[in-house]
C-alpha cells in the first residue's frame, strides 16, 4: 500500500493537497482536500489495462471553472429542499436558495466548496485519507455547529470505503453523499448508455417539475425504472416515460433500496469487462445519468457531453424533512451521524 502526497493547486492563498493511494494490485485513486473530491480512480479492464473510471480533472482551475459536483462530498444535505425551508420542533429555518426558490446540495458554499483538513493513515492492507471540517452554526442556513469526519479508505480487494461521521451541538439535518460520476469504459472512451445497472429496488420517488420528490413512491414494475434484473441505461434514456422526459432524457431519481449490504447496486460495462458493486448503510440511492452535462468543455481531454458519466449517490431520501413518511435526516444534538458506503471494483 502506497500513499503519494502532492500540491494540486492554491485557493485563496491556501495550498490544495492531493493524495494518490495505490494498493498492492496496482489499483489507485486520487483525491484532493478541496471538497474531498475524488479526481481519478484507475482500475484494470478484462485485459489488465488500467484506466480511469470517473469524471475528474487534473487541475484545480478546471474544477473552479466548471464542475457539476464531479467527485465531491455533498452536504449538509444531498438533493433539493423545497422552498429552501424546513421546520424543527416548530422552529422554521431558511436555507440558501441556490436553485431558484429551492436549496440544492448544501448551497453554493456547501461541503463541495470547502477546503477540508486532511491526514493519512496507513495499515498493512489499507490506506485511509481522513478529512475533517466543522460546519459553523448557521452555515448556508443550517442550525448547529457540525463536526464532521469523512474517511476514504482503499484496501487490497480493490474496494474504496467512504465512512461519514458527524456530531452537532444543536438539533439539525444531515444527509451526506459522494457525487462521483462513474464511466467504466475507461478514460471516458464511451458514454454510459451501454452500461447495465442492476438495482435491488421496487420503488422510486416521483419528482415534481423542480426535480423535488413529491413524496409519492412509484412502482418500478413494467417500467424502465425496473433495474431488478439488470437494464441498460440507454433503454430508459430513450423511453417516453414522463419522469424520464421531465429530467431531460435520463434518470435523476431517488430509488428506495430493498436491502443493504446484499450487492444492492451493480454497474457493468461489458465491453471493458469492468464491474462496480456498491453496498451501503443508506436506504436510498439517487441515479443521475449526467443529463445536464454541458458541452464545450473537455474532461481529461475528452469533450464533455450528455451521459458521459452516471452518479449513484447513496443517501437518505431527499427533501424528506418535508415528508415525514420517510427516513428523516434529523440529527439530534450530540447524536452521532454515522454511515458507510463501499465501492468494489471487479471484473465480470
Ligand atoms: C442536476 O438534477 C441534477 C442533480 O441531481 C445533480 O446532482 C446535478 O445536476 C449535478 O441539477
Amino acid at each position: 500500500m502506497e500513499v503519494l502526497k502532492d500540491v494540486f493547486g492554491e485557493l485563496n492563498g491556501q495550498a490544495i493537497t492531493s493524495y494518490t493511494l495505490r494498493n498492492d494490485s496496482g489499483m489507485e485513486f486520487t483525491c484532493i482536500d478541496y471538497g474531498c473530491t475524488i479526481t481519478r480512480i484507475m482500475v484494470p479492464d478484462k485485459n489488465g489495462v488500467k484506466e480511469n473510471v470517473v469524471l475528474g480533472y487534473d487541475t484545480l482551475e478546471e474544477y473552479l471553472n466548471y464542475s457539476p459536483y464531479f467527485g465531491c462530498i455533498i452536504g449538509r444535505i444531498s438533493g433539493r429542499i423545497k422552498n429552501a425551508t424546513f421546520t424543527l420542533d416548530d422552529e422554521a429555518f431558511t436555507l440558501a436558495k441556490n436553485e431558484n426558490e429551492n436549496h440544492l446540495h448544501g448551497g453554493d458554499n456547501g461541503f463541495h466548496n470547502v477546503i477540508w483538513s486532511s491526514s493519512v493513515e496507513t495499515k498493512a492492507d489499507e490506506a485511509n485519507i481522513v478529512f475533517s471540517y466543522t460546519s459553523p452554526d448557521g452555515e448556508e442556513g443550517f442550525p448547529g455547529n457540525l463536526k464532521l469526519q469523512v474517511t476514504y479508505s482503499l484496501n487490497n480487494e480493490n474496494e474504496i470505503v467512504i465512512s461519514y461521521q458527524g456530531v452537532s451541538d444543536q438539533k439539525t439535518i444531515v444527509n451526506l453523499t459522494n457525487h462521483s460520476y462513474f464511466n467504466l469504459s475507461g478514460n471516458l472512451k464511451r458514454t454510459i448508455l451501454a452500461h447495465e445497472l442492476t438495482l435491488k429496488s421496487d420503488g422510486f420517488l416521483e419528482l415534481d417539475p423542480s426535480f423535488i420528490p413529491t413524496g409519492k413512491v412509484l412502482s418500478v414494475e413494467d417500467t424502465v425504472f425496473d433495474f431488478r434484473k439488470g437494464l441498460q441505461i440507454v433503454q430508459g434514456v430513450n423511453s417516453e416515460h414522463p419522469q424520464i422526459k421531465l429530467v431531460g432524457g435520463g434518470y435523476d431519481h431517488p430509488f428506495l433500496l430493498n436491502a443493504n449490504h446484499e450487492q444492492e447496486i451493480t454497474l457493468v460495462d461489458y465491453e471493458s469487462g469492468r464491474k462496480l458493486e456498491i453496498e451501503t448503510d443508506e436506504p436510498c440511492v439517487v441515479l443521475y445519468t449526467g443529463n445536464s452535462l454541458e458541452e464545450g468543455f473537455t474532461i481529461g481531454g475528452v469533450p464533455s457531453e450528455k451521459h458521459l458519466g452516471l452518479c449513484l449517490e447513496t443517501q437518505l431520501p431527499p427533501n424528506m424533512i418535508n415528508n415525514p413518511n420517510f427516513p428523516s435526516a434529523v440529527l439530534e444534538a450530540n447524536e452521532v451521524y454515522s454511515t458507510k458506503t463501499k465501492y468494489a471494483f471487479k471484473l465480470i
Side-chain angles (χ1 to χ4, degrees):
M1 201 59 78
E2 207 181 337
V3 179
L4 307 173
K5 184 175 176 181
D6 206 345
V7 175
F8 191 75
E10 186 179 299
L11 181 59
N12 303 330
Q14 187 172 346
I16 302 300
T17 302
S18 73
Y19 297 94
T20 297
L21 292 72
R22 188 174 298 131
N23 71 9
D24 297 350
S25 61
M27 173 184 169
E28 63 181 67
F29 89 100
T30 302
C31 55
I32 59 177
D33 53 13
Y34 174 66
C36 308
T37 302
I38 295 176
T39 63
R40 194 176 58 161
I41 301 178
M42 302 291 284
V43 292
D45 68 0
K46 59 191 173 190
N47 301 314
V49 178
K50 233 177 16 175
E51 296 170 310
N52 177 41
V53 294
V54 289
L55 273 59
Y57 294 125
D58 297 325
T59 69
L60 179 66
E61 290 67 28
E62 290 172 289
Y63 281 102
L64 299 176
N65 186 37
Y66 169 65
S67 171
Y69 306 98
F70 286 156
C72 59
I73 288 298
I74 301 289
R76 279 197 202 189
I77 58 97
S78 304
R80 293 168 172 85
I81 293 216
K82 194 165 186 63
N83 301 321
T85 57
F86 66 95
T87 303
L88 287 178
D89 299 335
D90 299 329
E91 184 178 358
F93 295 92
T94 300
L95 301 173
K97 294 189 177 187
N98 61 316
E99 189 180 65
N100 305 317
E101 287 305 300
N102 302 313
H103 176 87
L104 171 65
H105 286 346
D108 290 342
N109 296 312
F111 298 161
H112 65 286
N113 200 13
V114 162
I115 303 174
W116 293 60
S117 305
S118 56
S119 61
V120 180
E121 291 170 351
T122 47
K123 302 174 183 171
D125 56 2
E126 72 178 40
N128 303 330
I129 307 298
V130 183
F131 293 109
S132 308
Y133 174 64
T134 296
S135 171
D137 177 32
E139 185 172 63
E140 295 297 83
F142 292 97
N145 294 291
L146 175 65
K147 287 181 73 169
L148 282 163
Q149 187 168 292
V150 174
T151 302
Y152 290 165
S153 180
L154 175 68
N155 64 29
N156 280 322
E157 311 305 316
N158 283 9
E159 296 170 341
I160 296 173
V161 178
I162 304 184
S163 309
Y164 306 81
Q165 289 227 313
V167 65
S168 170
D169 59 4
Q170 295 170 49
K171 190 168 185 174
T172 188
I173 57 175
V174 185
N175 182 19
L176 306 188
T177 193
N178 177 275
H179 205 289
S180 289
Y181 290 66
F182 298 103
N183 181 326
L184 303 181
S185 66
N187 296 343
L188 314 185
K189 281 199 286 294
R190 298 177 292 278
T191 69
I192 48 88
L193 291 175
H195 282 31
E196 182 187 87
L197 177 67
T198 304
L199 262 185
K200 292 182 180 176
S201 168
D202 297 338
F204 68 102
L205 300 188
E206 175 190 60
L207 301 180
D208 72 14
S210 303
F211 300 7
I212 294 177
T214 62
K216 193 173 171 191
V217 180
L218 301 178
S219 168
V220 302
E221 193 72 36
D222 297 330
T223 75
V224 291
F225 288 81
D226 190 351
F227 290 98
R228 293 173 295 190
K229 295 186 171 56
L231 186 70
Q232 276 196 321
I233 299 295
V234 65
Q235 294 182 24
V237 162
N238 292 336
S239 90
E240 292 300 309
H241 193 293
Q243 284 284 306
I244 294 282
K245 296 179 82 63
L246 170 73
V247 299
Y251 300 87
D252 197 352
H253 296 80
F255 286 79
L256 302 180
L257 293 170
N258 299 346
N260 292 105
H261 306 294
E262 291 182 13
Q263 295 180 6
E264 56 266 32
I265 305 167
T266 304
L267 185 68
V268 172
D269 174 58
Y270 285 101
E271 190 158 345
S272 68
R274 292 189 179 96
K275 174 164 72 169
L276 169 60
E277 280 177 4
I278 301 175
E279 294 189 348
T280 180
D281 296 342
E282 297 288 1
C284 166
V285 61
V286 169
L287 168 63
Y288 172 55
T289 50
N291 316 318
S292 52
L293 279 175
E294 294 179 15
E295 298 184 352
F297 294 88
T298 59
I299 304 167
V302 174
S304 173
E305 64 173 307
K306 189 174 181 178
H307 305 138
L308 191 55
L310 68 80
C311 304
L312 289 159
E313 306 158 44
T314 55
Q315 61 194 261
L316 293 159
N319 192 49
M320 290 306 123
I321 186 65
N322 293 322
N323 283 287
N325 307 331
F326 290 87
S328 116
V330 171
L331 185 71
E332 298 292 344
N334 304 311
E335 178 189 356
V336 175
Y337 170 82
S338 178
T339 185
K340 203 174 275 192
T341 293
K342 178 174 76 174
Y343 305 83
F345 292 89
K346 303 181 175 181
L347 294 172
I348 51 175

